[in-house]
Amino acid sequence: MKRRKTRKIHVWTLIILTILMALLMSVTVFADSSQEDLTKPETSEETPDQLSNSNSIIEDESYSLNESIAESVEKPEGWFYEDEKWFLFNDAGEKMTGWQIVGDTWYYMNSSGVMQTGWIKSGGAWYYLKSSGAMAAGWVFDQGKWYYLKSNGSMATGWLKLGARWYFLNSNGAMAVGWIKPAGAWYYMKSSGAMAVGWVFDRGNWYYLKSNGAMATGWLQLGSKWYFLKSSGAMVTGSYTVGKKRYYFYSSGAWDGKNGIWSYPGLGQDVVNYAIKWVGKTPYVSGGHSLITGTDCSGFVHLIYEYFGYNLPYSSGNYQNQVGTKIQKSQLLPGDILVYNYGEHVAIYAGDNKIIHAANPNLGVVYESIFLFGNSNYLKYGEPTAYVRVFQ
C-alpha cells in the first residue's frame, strides 16, 4: 500500500514540472521576439540615402519635432519692452541696431539693440533723441540751455539764420546770449538768442550794433546827429576828448555841433542842471575850491564848468574881458556867464532872467533873479556889465 502512494506523488510532481517548463519556454520566446521587434527596422525597398532623410530615423524625428516647436512659437516683431528697455525687431524677428525709421520718425538703437535717448554722437555729428526715442529737430531745451537741431537731426553750431533773425550756437551747440566775439567783432545776442541791431542798453551803458550786428566804435552818424562810441563800444555822454579836442555830448549821447567843438545850447542847459544841484548845499568860502566844503563866486563858476571839461579862471576879474565871447543881453542862453561891476562878481545864467551863483557867506549858493537889488546881504551890483558865452 505504501508503494502505490509514492508512485502517485512522483507522477504529479512530473506533471507540474512539465507545465512550469512549458511556461518558462513561452516567456523566453516572447521576450526574444519583443527584443527583435525593437531593434530591427522593417524591411524597405528604400536606399540608405533615402532612409537618412526619412522621419523614420529617430535622430531625424527629434530634429523634425524641434523645428515644428520653433515655428509654433510667436516671433517678436516691431517694438518690444524688456527690463525697462525698448528693442525693435524686423518682420523676421531680428533685433535692429543703428538708425531705424518707423513711419516718419527716426530712432537709434545701440549695438545691443537698446533704443537710445538724450544726446548721441553718430558719424561725427551730435543728435538729440527725445524721451520717446524719436530724433529731435528744431529747438531743444536741455539742462538750462537751448540747442538747435537741423532738419536732418544734426546739432547746429556757429551762425544760424531762421527767417529774418540770426542766432549763434557755441561749439558745444548751446545758444549764445549776451556779448560774443566769434571772429574779431563784438555782437550782442538778446535773451531770446536773436542778434541785436541798433541801440542796446547793457550794464549801465548804451551800445550801437550795426545792421550786420557788429558793435560800432568811434564816430557814428545817425540822421543829423553824431555820437561817439568808446573802444569798448560804450556811448559817450558829457565832456569827452576825441583826439586833442574836447567835445560835449548830450545826456542822450548826441552831439549836434557842425564845425565847433561844443554842442550848444544843449551843453548850456546841462551846465545849469548840474549847477542847480548845489543850490542850498555849497557854502560860500572866500578862496575856496570845493563844491562840498565851500567856494566863492568865481570858484563856483570854475568848478561847474570844470565838470564839463572846460578850464575857466578862478578870478572873477578875468571874466569881464578875457573869457569867452561877448554877447548882447538879448542873446542870453542857459549856461552863459554874467559879470557884475566889471568883474567884482560872476554868476551862471539859468534862463528866464534867473541866475545860480555863490552869493555870500550868509546864503552860499542860491538860485534867484538876474538883478541883484533889494537884499541887504548883497552888494547892489544892479545890471550886469558883461554877458559872456564860453562855448563856441
Side-chain angles (χ1 to χ4, degrees):
M1 290 294 290
K2 288 181 182 178
R3 286 179 183 174
R4 287 178 183 172
K5 269 185 182 180
T6 301
R7 285 177 184 170
K8 285 182 181 181
I9 290 170
H10 286 302
V11 171
W12 280 106
T13 299
L14 183 61
I15 293 170
I16 290 170
L17 289 173
T18 302
I19 292 171
L20 288 175
M21 288 295 289
L23 288 173
L24 183 59
M25 289 177 67
S26 297
V27 171
T28 302
V29 170
F30 178 77
D32 290 341
S33 175
S34 297
Q35 187 174 1
E36 229 176 42
D37 290 340
L38 287 173
T39 57
K40 183 179 179 182
E42 295 179 0
T43 303
S44 174
E45 298 297 328
E46 294 176 320
T47 65
D49 288 340
Q50 289 173 326
L51 286 173
S52 66
N53 291 325
S54 172
N55 288 338
S56 63
I57 298 177
I58 292 176
E59 290 182 3
D60 283 341
E61 285 181 356
S62 175
Y63 171 79
S64 178
L65 178 62
N66 290 338
E67 186 179 52
S68 176
I69 293 173
E71 288 179 352
S72 68
V73 175
E74 185 178 353
K75 298 176 182 177
E77 183 178 349
W79 289 107
F80 184 74
Y81 189 71
E82 183 180 40
D83 295 332
E84 300 183 352
K85 297 174 183 176
W86 283 101
F87 300 85
L88 183 63
F89 292 83
N90 61 17
D91 53 6
E94 298 168 334
K95 190 183 293 183
M96 308 300 289
T97 60
W99 286 107
Q100 302 296 328
I101 188 168
V102 178
D104 295 327
T105 305
W106 283 97
Y107 299 84
Y108 188 83
M109 327 301 288
N110 67 13
S111 58
S112 300
V114 179
M115 183 191 78
Q116 300 297 284
T117 60
W119 291 104
I120 65 165
K121 192 173 186 180
S122 174
W126 284 97
Y127 298 82
Y128 186 82
L129 304 166
K130 303 175 185 178
S131 57
S132 65
M135 182 187 77
W139 289 108
V140 165
F141 189 72
D142 181 53
Q143 297 181 355
K145 295 180 180 179
W146 285 99
Y147 301 82
Y148 190 83
L149 291 309
K150 302 174 189 176
S151 57
N152 67 356
S154 63
M155 182 186 75
T157 59
W159 286 107
L160 171 72
K161 189 176 184 181
L162 297 176
R165 296 179 179 179
W166 283 96
Y167 300 82
F168 189 82
L169 294 310
N170 295 321
S171 57
N172 64 356
M175 182 187 77
V177 295
W179 291 103
I180 63 169
K181 192 177 183 181
W186 284 98
Y187 298 81
Y188 186 82
M189 316 307 288
K190 302 176 185 177
S191 57
S192 65
M195 182 186 76
V197 294
W199 289 109
V200 165
F201 188 75
D202 181 55
R203 289 173 286 188
N205 290 300
W206 284 98
Y207 300 83
Y208 189 82
L209 291 310
K210 303 174 188 177
S211 57
N212 66 354
M215 182 188 76
T217 60
W219 285 105
L220 171 71
Q221 185 177 15
L222 297 176
S224 61
K225 296 181 178 180
W226 284 90
Y227 301 81
F228 190 82
L229 296 309
K230 300 177 183 179
S231 58
S232 65
M235 182 189 77
V236 168
T237 60
S239 176
Y240 191 78
T241 299
V242 180
K244 293 184 178 181
K245 292 184 178 180
R246 197 76 173 171
Y247 293 82
Y248 183 80
F249 299 85
Y250 295 163
S251 57
S252 66
W255 175 73
D256 62 4
K258 302 221 185 309
N259 299 316
I261 295 176
W262 295 97
S263 171
Y264 197 86
L267 175 61
Q269 187 58 56
D270 285 346
V271 166
V272 171
N273 293 342
Y274 182 64
I276 208 167
K277 292 180 180 181
W278 300 98
V279 171
K281 296 179 180 178
T282 302
Y284 184 97
V285 175
S286 180
H289 300 297
S290 171
L291 292 171
I292 297 174
T293 61
T295 187
D296 54 21
C297 66
S298 59
F300 179 72
V301 172
H302 172 89
L303 290 168
I304 294 300
Y305 279 87
E306 184 182 55
Y307 178 79
F308 293 92
Y310 211 85
N311 187 25
L312 296 183
Y314 265 111
S315 172
S316 61
N318 294 327
Y319 286 85
Q320 179 70 29
N321 297 309
Q322 299 177 27
V323 174
T325 303
K326 295 286 183 58
I327 59 172
Q328 299 298 314
K329 180 180 178 181
S330 61
Q331 297 176 300
L332 277 174
L333 290 171
D336 289 335
I337 298 173
L338 279 62
V339 183
Y340 293 88
N341 201 27
Y342 303 99
E344 288 189 16
H345 190 74
V346 290
I348 297 172
Y349 182 62
D352 196 26
N353 286 325
K354 294 291 195 309
I355 59 171
I356 306 168
H357 65 138
N360 56 45
N362 293 331
L363 298 176
V365 173
V366 295
Y367 172 77
E368 62 177 346
S369 170
I370 192 174
F371 303 108
L372 302 181
F373 288 111
N375 191 319
S376 59
N377 292 316
Y378 292 121
L379 294 174
K380 293 183 169 53
Y381 294 126
E383 282 274 354
T385 55
Y387 303 96
V388 178
R389 177 159 296 162
V390 173
F391 312 119
Q392 297 179 7

